Amino acid sequence: MGSIRLAVRVLARSPAFTLTVTLVLALAIGVNGAAFSLVSSLFLRPLPVEAPERLVRLYTTYDRGPQYFTLSQADYEDLRDLAHVFSGVLADRPAPLSLTMNGPAERIWGFLVSSNYFAVLGVQPAMGRFFRSDLSDDRMADEVIVSHGFWQRRLGADPGAIGESILLNGRPFTIVGVAPPGLHGTNVGLTGDLWAPLTADRLAPVTGTERRGSRGYFVVGRLQPGVTLEQARAAARLLARRLQEAYPATNRGITFTVLPESAGGLHPYVRERFLGASAALLMVVGVVLVIACTNVAGLLLARAAMRRREIAVRLALGASRLQIVRQLLVECVMLWLAGGAVGVAVAMAILRLAGSIDLPTDRPVFIDAHLDARVLAYSIALTLVTAIAFGLAPASAAVKEDLIDALRDYGRAPGFRSPARSALIAGEIALCLVLLVGAALCLRSLANVHRIDLGFDPEGVVIAGIDLSAPAYDEARRREAVTRLLTRLRSTAGVDSVGVASRIPFELNITRTAVAADAADPGISVDFAVVNATYFETLRIMLRDGRAFDDADARASPRVIVNQRLAGLLWPDRRAVGQTLFIGHRPREVVGVVQDGKYLTLGEEPAPFVYFAYEQAGGSALTVLVRASGYPATVLARVREEARAIAAAAPLYNVRTMKEHLAIARAPASGAAMLLGAFGMLALLLASVGLYGLLAFAVGQRTREIGIRRALGAGDRALVALVVRQAMRPVAVGLVAGLAFALLALPALRGLLYGIGPFDPFAYAVAAATLLLCGAAASWLPARRATRMEPTIALRHE
């Protein structure tokens, strides 16, 4: 306790030093805590359910298609019947819903779930009850469970809300329960306002082939006690083989993949992409922390040099060197703990700021990043480890000087020739260079993103989603409403073209089907969209062969359009137009081939894609695309006006310009550029300030030497050049080391770069030149100031 009290008194006598160190450490520890919280929420935090380690995620795996796809309702039911393996199996699907509650209809997102959903998860309601598990999924009553957040925001946290009725897709549902706080579903990154039965968005029960072949459900199983993951995988493989034999039309070439919930809750494709980005994020904030700690270590070295006489007196009075080191370490730990405490507040502020960002999508993307026990433990461990690691060297150096020289106040620190100080300068420069090169790469990548060939022209296009899934809109009325809306928009002044699609590029909506050139071939899994005849004209997607859809492409004569990639895969030696494409053994004629484009991400390789005619397939949730001249706001207002006039009960969503919609695709590049740019500038600021402080202190130690040189006739310019030349040696060493570190570390950013590699020489040159200039300025300023001092004053400096 005595050491702690003494440390508090010593630090209190230097408030400027203490405050500076605390703020530098708080900023670095805060960004590290916030970054770890984000990574923890994606990869480490288990579901807030009973025994999450017993949960497994089940996916459909195609022999010639995606490895991790959703399941059909019938496949889910077959897996649910494996009672010797699973104590329960649930199905759920995120779904847009039309909600009517004390006002006009609005579009929300919820989960369509099986009746045993909450029972399998093992959670209890905050209020009311959950679904009755004794009902089959097709016989579930019209009941709904609302999320705790929805209950607070929309229902005013009213206990009397239980039993109230709301309209979902035009059907009345009774609120029977409120989910517990913190439960946002089973899919990491997605949330919803409510849980409704699987049949909530169905106008008719799913039967026959559609029940077996329509795959759109996420499936989670709970293992029986004593059953291992490998046993579950073996049982799933055996079931898949039986289904292939029993249902060759829908299950040929299909198996099931079983993953632990910890590896499958965040979809494996997303997880793989985010792992690299998360590693890069932790590396970047770790570099910022090391730079900050290096700055503080330099300040502590300078402070120890100024306290050398005090330390010598303590040693002369009988204190051991170990006691002095221990006392200095206690002071270091106190500083780091103060920085860590403020850093926790900084992390909370960063997480609140990040949570307030409105992502450019109508999907309920939600990352539950908050400070929990795991994050706090990480912050505390980080604080203590860095305190000891970076405080030990200054504390040890402080007690190594000669006692007699220290008492006489002679033998001052040797300026630039101090190995510890030179190592700090070199290390700081090296780490800062890594961040600056990364920032330069990402900024150049962001510039390239805007030059990527998308396969369509977004300029002058506005979009608006319209949900016609309510029972009031049967198929005939939906078609009539869409036709009237397109006709009225086409007649609007300034409108060049109007199209409609079930899915547009870069929409977070994956729709796939199996296609083949031969009825006997199981085919390949490809993405698809339902579009009308003018869709390609509206987006200016070039037709490479054949024709676009027309009004003659009705149900009686099913036809499709494929892109160049799919045409090359299925008919490499023949013209695709006129060929027959089999979709689930149903033949369709190929009438056109369009250019390849980007469909999900900007960095994807050319992917096969097929288009179905809206006149043949229809659809309830559609996006209207309008190409028009004039102000986008005016066009968007016109689209809203016409949609309300024709389908007043249908909610609109995702109403924006296509260029705004592209922000979804550009989010990885812009986010990486923003983060690395911000952290790079922060590192440059810390390094510049720290470098200036270290060099200013080193020049101050040589004030008497400079005075002697001037007295002997040395010119100011020569003295400044001498000081700068000596100061730049550790800077040069740091640049060389930093280039080597960057070459080893920055390939981790490859997945975030577009049109540029991680070894771009221009980015390295710019970063190195920037640091070289900062180092020269940081050494020139104190040297220039020292040479302006009168020689007589400099000679009396000791």
Side-chain angles (χ1 to χ4, degrees):
M1 290 299 294
S3 298
I4 295 177
R5 287 195 296 269
L6 178 59
V8 171
R9 289 199 300 270
V10 170
L11 294 176
R13 287 200 299 267
S14 305
F17 169 81
T18 303
L19 182 61
T20 300
V21 171
T22 299
L23 291 178
V24 169
L25 291 174
L27 186 59
I29 293 173
V31 296
N32 272 268
F36 180 77
S37 177
L38 176 63
V39 174
S40 175
S41 66
L42 290 175
F43 302 107
L44 303 178
R45 188 173 296 144
L47 287 176
V49 301
E50 178 186 357
E53 70 279 0
R54 301 296 299 167
L55 295 179
V56 295
R57 178 74 64 165
L58 298 109
Y59 290 103
T60 296
T61 297
Y62 291 85
D63 288 348
R64 298 175 61 188
Q67 185 177 1
Y68 304 105
F69 204 66
T70 46
L71 278 77
S72 67
Q73 186 171 347
D75 287 346
Y76 145 68
E77 291 168 355
D78 290 327
L79 287 164
R80 184 184 60 189
D81 292 339
L82 298 178
H84 65 289
V85 177
F86 303 110
S87 61
V89 179
L90 66 85
D92 75 277
R93 179 166 69 88
L97 301 168
S98 174
L99 170 69
T100 304
M101 191 179 72
N102 301 324
E106 60 182 301
R107 180 181 166 97
I108 66 168
W109 281 83
F111 298 102
L112 307 180
V113 300
S114 55
S115 59
N116 62 347
Y117 179 90
F118 297 100
V120 173
L121 294 180
V123 295
Q124 299 299 319
M127 289 183 59
R129 62 172 176 83
F130 289 144
F131 298 125
R132 291 174 53 190
S133 58
D134 59 330
L135 295 178
S136 68
D137 294 329
D138 284 340
R139 294 179 53 245
M140 288 174 66
D142 291 339
E143 299 175 343
V144 67
I145 312 297
V146 298
S147 70
H148 199 269
F150 183 89
W151 176 64
Q152 290 181 319
R153 295 190 315 270
R154 303 295 301 272
L155 302 176
D158 180 13
I162 303 298
E164 287 189 4
S165 180
I166 59 175
L167 291 180
L168 292 178
N169 293 348
R171 288 170 45 190
F173 283 78
T174 302
I175 300 173
V176 297
V178 177
L183 182 64
H184 301 283
T186 61
N187 299 283
V188 176
L190 294 178
T191 187
D193 286 324
L194 50 82
W195 289 263
L198 288 178
T199 55
D201 69 337
R202 298 287 187 180
L203 301 180
V206 183
T207 59
T209 304
E210 184 182 357
R211 186 182 188 90
R212 177 70 60 181
S214 178
R215 294 180 168 87
Y217 295 101
F218 291 100
V219 174
V220 176
R222 181 175 290 278
L223 297 178
Q224 288 280 13
V227 175
T228 66
L229 182 63
E230 287 305 318
Q231 290 173 327
R233 286 171 172 166
R237 285 195 297 267
L238 181 60
L239 174 63
R241 285 197 294 269
R242 293 205 307 263
L243 295 179
Q244 288 176 9
E245 296 172 358
Y247 307 101
T250 57
N251 285 67
R252 182 173 48 182
I254 287 177
T255 57
F256 301 124
T257 295
V258 184
L259 297 176
E261 175 60 29
S262 58
L266 181 64
H267 196 282
Y269 291 141
V270 180
R271 181 184 180 86
E272 181 181 353
R273 187 174 183 84
F274 273 42
L275 270 175
S278 298
L281 175 62
L282 290 179
M283 180 188 72
V284 167
V285 297
V287 169
V288 171
L289 177 64
V290 174
I291 291 174
C293 291
T294 303
N295 268 341
V296 174
L299 291 174
L300 290 175
L301 274 175
R303 180 176 170 82
M306 291 189 295
R307 295 175 63 187
R308 57 199 296 271
R309 186 178 181 88
E310 170 199 338
I311 293 172
V313 170
R314 291 189 184 183
L315 291 171
L317 292 176
S320 68
R321 294 182 184 271
L322 180 60
Q323 288 176 318
I324 298 297
V325 170
R326 184 182 64 186
Q327 179 60 43
L328 293 177
L329 274 179
V330 170
E331 294 178 16
C332 288
V333 172
M334 295 291 292
L335 281 171
W336 255 267
L337 287 177
V342 180
V344 170
V346 171
M348 294 175 63
I350 293 174
L351 292 177
R352 281 197 298 269
L353 178 63
S356 65
I357 296 176
D358 185 20
L359 298 176
T361 174
D362 74 313
R363 291 258 172 166
V365 178
F366 174 75
I367 305 298
D368 188 18
H370 63 273
L371 294 182
D372 55 11
R374 191 192 304 267
V375 178
L376 289 175
Y378 172 83
S379 300
I380 293 172
L382 192 68
T383 300
L384 294 177
V385 169
T386 52
I388 296 173
F390 287 87
L392 188 59
S396 300
V399 298
K400 287 182 179 179
E401 290 196 67
D402 183 81
L403 182 60
I404 302 301
D405 285 344
L407 288 172
R408 292 175 177 174
D409 207 21
Y410 295 153
R412 286 185 177 271
F416 303 114
R417 292 180 294 276
S418 167
R421 190 171 298 122
S422 297
L424 286 174
I425 292 173
E428 203 164 358
I429 291 295
L431 294 173
C432 187
L433 181 66
V434 174
L435 285 188
L436 287 180
V437 173
L441 288 173
C442 288
L443 288 173
R444 296 201 70 195
S445 171
L446 183 60
N448 291 337
V449 160
H450 294 272
R451 294 192 289 267
I452 290 178
D453 182 10
L454 302 174
F456 65 92
D457 180 12
E459 195 69 37
V461 178
V462 300
I463 60 175
I466 183 168
D467 190 345
L468 297 168
S469 58
Y473 300 102
D474 56 17
E475 183 175 354
R477 290 182 179 178
R478 286 201 302 270
R479 290 179 180 276
E480 179 188 2
V482 171
T483 301
R484 290 177 57 202
L485 177 60
L486 298 184
T487 301
R488 294 183 64 163
L489 288 174
R490 288 190 187 103
S491 64
T492 302
V495 171
D496 299 325
S497 179
V498 181
V500 67
S502 64
R503 165 188 173 184
I504 60 176
F506 308 119
E507 192 173 38
L508 301 179
N509 177 25
I510 300 176
T511 53
R512 300 181 75 90
T513 187
V515 302
D518 191 319
D521 191 337
I524 59 175
S525 179
V526 301
D527 291 310
F528 73 89
V530 177
V531 302
N532 76 328
T534 54
Y535 171 81
F536 303 104
E537 175 190 351
T538 304
L539 282 186
R540 293 179 180 168
I541 298 175
M542 294 184 63
L543 191 67
R544 298 298 188 184
D545 193 13
R547 63 172 178 83
F549 293 127
D550 58 32
D551 294 337
D553 298 320
R555 286 182 179 272
S557 54
R559 298 184 176 99
V560 296
I561 292 174
V562 300
N563 69 346
Q564 291 174 285
R565 175 62 175 165
L566 182 57
L569 286 174
L570 297 183
W571 304 284
D573 302 322
R574 290 176 290 172
R575 184 187 181 204
V577 174
Q579 301 296 329
T580 300
L581 183 70
F582 291 90
I583 301 174
H585 298 279
R586 295 187 299 272
R588 293 176 184 259
E589 180 189 356
V590 177
V591 297
V593 177
V594 297
Q595 71 181 102
D596 294 333
K598 303 294 184 181
Y599 306 108
L600 292 176
T601 66
L602 290 173
E604 67 187 15
E605 295 296 325
F609 205 93
V610 61
Y611 297 92
F612 298 102
Y614 172 73
E615 287 73 12
Q616 299 169 7
S620 58
L622 302 167
T623 297
V624 177
L625 303 97
V626 180
R627 176 174 294 279
S629 56
Y631 293 106
T634 304
V635 181
L636 287 171
R638 180 65 175 177
V639 171
R640 287 193 181 94
E641 178 184 341
E642 295 294 351
R644 293 299 184 200
I646 292 171
L652 294 177
Y653 60 94
N654 201 30
V655 182
R656 63 188 71 195
T657 67
M658 178 60 86
K659 295 182 70 173
E660 291 172 336
H661 174 74
L662 287 179
I664 299 173
R666 292 169 179 160
S670 58
M674 181 180 66
L675 285 176
L676 271 177
F679 287 132
M681 291 301 102
L682 175 60
L684 182 62
L685 176 62
L686 289 174
S688 300
V689 172
L691 186 61
Y692 174 80
L694 286 173
L695 295 178
F697 177 76
V699 171
Q701 298 293 93
R702 303 180 66 187
T703 301
R704 182 179 176 83
E705 175 196 339
I706 292 173
I708 293 174
R709 289 178 180 271
R710 292 189 67 196
L712 294 176
D716 290 349
R717 184 172 299 178
L719 288 174
V720 170
L722 173 67
V723 172
V724 171
R725 186 168 58 251
Q726 293 179 347
M728 291 300 290
R729 288 173 184 168
V731 174
V733 172
L735 287 175
V736 173
L739 288 173
F741 292 159
L743 291 172
L744 292 174
L746 293 180
L749 297 178
R750 195 184 300 272
L752 299 174
L753 301 179
Y754 299 88
I756 188 174
F759 306 115
D760 178 62
F762 180 78
Y764 284 76
V766 168
T770 301
L771 277 176
L772 201 62
L773 289 175
C774 288
S779 57
W780 180 82
L781 289 173
R784 180 65 178 166
R785 188 175 64 248
T787 57
R788 290 182 175 180
M789 186 180 297
E790 289 294 330
T792 55
I793 298 176
L795 290 171
R796 294 197 301 268
H797 186 71
E798 294 288 345

